[in-house]
Amino acid sequence: MRRTPFRTGTILLAAAALIPAATITATAKPDKPFVQGTQTVAAYDYDNAIRERIAVDVPGTDNDENGVTDQITVDIIRPGEADAAGIDVPVIIQASPYYAGDPSSYFDSKGIRQVYGTWLDNYFVPRGYAVAFVDMPGTNRSTGCTDVGGDYEVLGTKAVVDWLNNRVPGYNPDGSKAKASWSTGKTGMIGTSWNGTIANSVASTGVRGLETIVPIAAISSWYDYTRANGVPFYDKYMEFLYDYVSNDKTPRCVALTDEVEAASDTPTGSYSKFWDPRNYNLDARKVRSSVFLIHGLDDENVKTRHYGEWWDQLVRYNVPRKILLHQGVHLDGFSLRDAYVNELHPWFDYWLQGLKNGIMQQPQATIMREDGTYTHEKRWPAAGVRPVKLNLGKAKNAKAGGLSIAAASGDPISFTGTEDESTDAVVLDPTTPKPNRAVFLSDELEKAVRISGTGKVSVRVKSDKVASGIKARIVDYGTATRYSNITNVPNTRVCWGDGNALDTGCYAQTKINTKVSDAAVVVRTLADVGHYKTLNHKEYLTPGKYYDLSFELNADDIVFAPGHRLGLVLTVEPDNPSVPFTGATLTVDPTRSSLTLPLTGYTAALNTAGAPGERVAADSLAQPEPEKDPTKLMEQMVEASR
């Protein structure tokens, strides 16, 4: 940080008697032309920005075992006029493991980055911010080894915040020492997917100088990213993730690929101490920064469980916070354009520039509702939410099971799965008996009912095989105009900030598309019956024996409109992709099973057992089947992170 002379009061007074008033005036803190009232405005020329590359030491680490202290590569762009005037600026950091995919045209002949592949620099640099791109440890031009969310990845990225506060050394490309004398020391981290995950993780260290983070579609626990309640999503997924981003510059980094996978224990899917450093919820008490959290309610890549668990911890420790939930899949917040930027800009102005703009007195939550419109609310979860236990039932002549506050009832219900995972189409036509599912429906709702938060499924279940997974889908049954996707508007072009021929900062505008459908899957959560006791240990099942299994659902916020029904659909799923699964039949005892949801609204219709005697029409879904190919999911992560 740039230091002004005579910091102590007594020395200042003594010196002042010897220095002419004009001199004192000249050394006063310079005005900031980019501040007008309580907001920053574009005041600096993007073409005059200073671009530089810094190598930051990670003291005490040599994770790649090459005998040299690990270093993190940082690309910085900052306003040149501010530097010339002696005005210190805060820094917005976007760390990523993906920058190796940037084309060579992004860099000049000296290897200095000229194109940043995001709107952030175009928009914020003219407004008195620096923007820093960070190659995470073991990726692209940084040394060390990645460890997929572990201590080295976190501490290596944290070192950049430390350098910006003059706590660790940094170096210019010629080897000379580099100090961030131009920085106020206030930093914010932002990013989508893995880029947002590293923001969560660095915040969980409690590092001083990190004033705020903006995690978008971000992971809060790598265990929950790679598996659900004991069921791994893919075979050798940690190995795949490591290989995807590692620069493999040393033999040690190459060897870590197999070591990370082995330690993750895919064959059992169990939780172990390996996951603790990768579970940032455990260190939420250390968080000093504020958090502006953004997530898609239909994100099946980084599932909504991540924002739900992280948010619960932020509430627990009273962390200053804000949340924006949209109906989309794995998206960068910028896909929402104005709805996002108009909240992010004042957020950074408040936390990094110190402008008293009232952002913390504004509604805590912005939520895109099911039809694509936005609502703003004082808090999240919604006011008045309470856990409501809905029991399962099966009347003798009913076309589907019931879901209600009324006492549980009915005979055991069996359903069968094969070696293949089920698809969302399994929820359609819910009142036609089918052997591959168990369906439970509420009565028609008289008035709107809302889920806001995290629910739980509890089932008493037996299997005819030694292992099986089970999936719970919460379904909104009823015809409505629902969000479908976000697409670019053809032949449009909006410039977000300043730019040049190489980096225009201009993008197509986007629009929200909707579709009329008569059903929507709003929550999907998977669990392994063999982890019924604990996630720390898998048991093989005794065929025909009942087990009591409870698991939390992925978080959600959904309004069920009047006339709609709330549904629960259970299916049989493979329990582990690394172990052959030939199918199984599960039997649920409804008298010992329930669904607990965080509800608000008029719940009177849930008091009576739903037992529809007539067909419930549900023949179409608004959104496509979630992507299940891990390679395509990684492509989504890369694209969402740009």
Side-chain angles (χ1 to χ4, degrees), residues 5 18 43 86 110 186 290 295 383 434 461 539 608 613 638:
L18 303 176
K110 297 180 180 179
K186 289 187 174 184
S290 63
H295 215 103
K434 296 181 180 180
V461 62
E539 288 188 20
T608 56
V638 174

Side-chain angles (χ1 to χ4, degrees), residues 506-542:
C506 302
Y507 302 83
Q509 193 54 287
T510 61
K511 67 173 182 176
I512 294 169
N513 302 304
T514 58
K515 178 181 178 181
V516 175
S517 67
D518 43 27
V521 177
V522 295
V523 177
R524 309 167 186 85
T525 306
L526 187 60
D528 174 24
V529 180
H531 281 89
Y532 71 97
K533 280 186 180 178
T534 173
L535 290 178
N536 299 329
H537 177 69
K538 179 183 176 71
E539 288 188 20
Y540 286 100
L541 308 173
T542 300

Side-chain angles (χ1 to χ4, degrees), residues 56 58 61-66 68-74 95-101 134-160 194 198 241-257 260:
V56 174
V58 187
T61 65
D62 179 16
N63 192 28
D64 51 13
E65 298 182 358
N66 65 351
V68 180
T69 298
D70 294 340
Q71 288 190 327
I72 305 302
T73 297
V74 187
S96 177
Y98 299 128
Y99 293 141
V134 177
D135 288 341
M136 283 162 52
T139 72
N140 201 23
R141 299 163 298 162
S142 289
T143 62
C145 302
T146 183
D147 55 358
V148 190
D151 287 337
Y152 286 106
E153 181 175 298
V154 178
L155 294 177
T157 309
K158 169 184 171 291
V160 177
W194 206 327
I198 195 65
L241 294 168
Y242 186 99
D243 260 348
Y244 197 95
V245 301
S246 176
N247 58 27
D248 287 340
K249 286 185 176 179
T250 69
R252 177 60 187 145
C253 293
V254 174
L256 270 173
T257 306
V260 166

Side-chain angles (χ1 to χ4, degrees), residues 568-579:
L568 168 66
V569 179
L570 301 176
T571 55
V572 176
E573 310 291 341
D575 66 301
N576 193 302
S578 64
V579 179

Side-chain angles (χ1 to χ4, degrees), residues 210-375:
L210 183 60
E211 304 297 325
T212 191
I213 62 170
V214 184
I216 307 166
I219 296 165
S220 60
S221 164
W222 283 88
Y223 178 86
D224 293 325
Y225 176 66
T226 59
R227 54 208 69 193
N229 301 294
V231 181
F233 295 123
Y234 310 102
D235 191 21
K236 298 184 177 180
Y237 196 28
M238 288 295 283
E239 176 183 308
F240 172 80
L241 294 168
Y242 186 99
D243 260 348
Y244 197 95
V245 301
S246 176
N247 58 27
D248 287 340
K249 286 185 176 179
T250 69
R252 177 60 187 145
C253 293
V254 174
L256 270 173
T257 306
D258 292 335
E259 292 177 27
V260 166
E261 173 54 38
S264 73
D265 191 16
T266 298
T268 71
S270 298
Y271 190 97
S272 67
K273 289 183 178 180
F274 168 83
W275 297 104
D276 283 351
R278 297 166 173 83
N279 184 354
Y280 314 125
N281 301 296
L282 300 179
D283 288 322
R285 69 188 184 281
K286 300 178 184 177
V287 174
R288 298 175 181 271
S289 65
S290 63
V291 180
F292 181 11
L293 188 156
I294 299 159
H295 215 103
L297 292 170
D298 202 43
D299 190 342
E300 284 294 307
N301 184 334
V302 177
K303 294 173 173 56
T304 57
R305 180 183 187 90
H306 293 276
Y307 87 76
E309 290 182 334
W310 188 233
W311 186 263
D312 287 347
Q313 294 304 313
L314 300 179
V315 172
R316 178 182 181 185
Y317 295 108
N318 199 29
V319 174
R321 60 198 179 275
K322 185 175 178 63
I323 191 167
L324 190 163
L325 299 175
H326 60 86
Q327 294 291 323
V329 291
H330 195 62
L331 299 174
D332 183 359
F334 187 58
S335 298
L336 307 176
R337 297 298 195 263
D338 294 274
Y340 166 66
V341 177
N342 290 344
E343 297 202 28
L344 180 67
H345 181 182
W347 183 265
F348 277 154
D349 278 358
Y350 179 86
W351 288 104
L352 298 183
Q353 299 283 5
L355 301 181
K356 306 302 181 184
N357 54 21
I359 189 70
M360 298 308 294
Q361 286 71 53
Q362 294 179 12
Q364 183 183 78
T366 297
I367 302 172
M368 182 192 290
R369 290 269 52 107
E370 294 69 33
D371 62 357
T373 60
Y374 289 94
T375 61

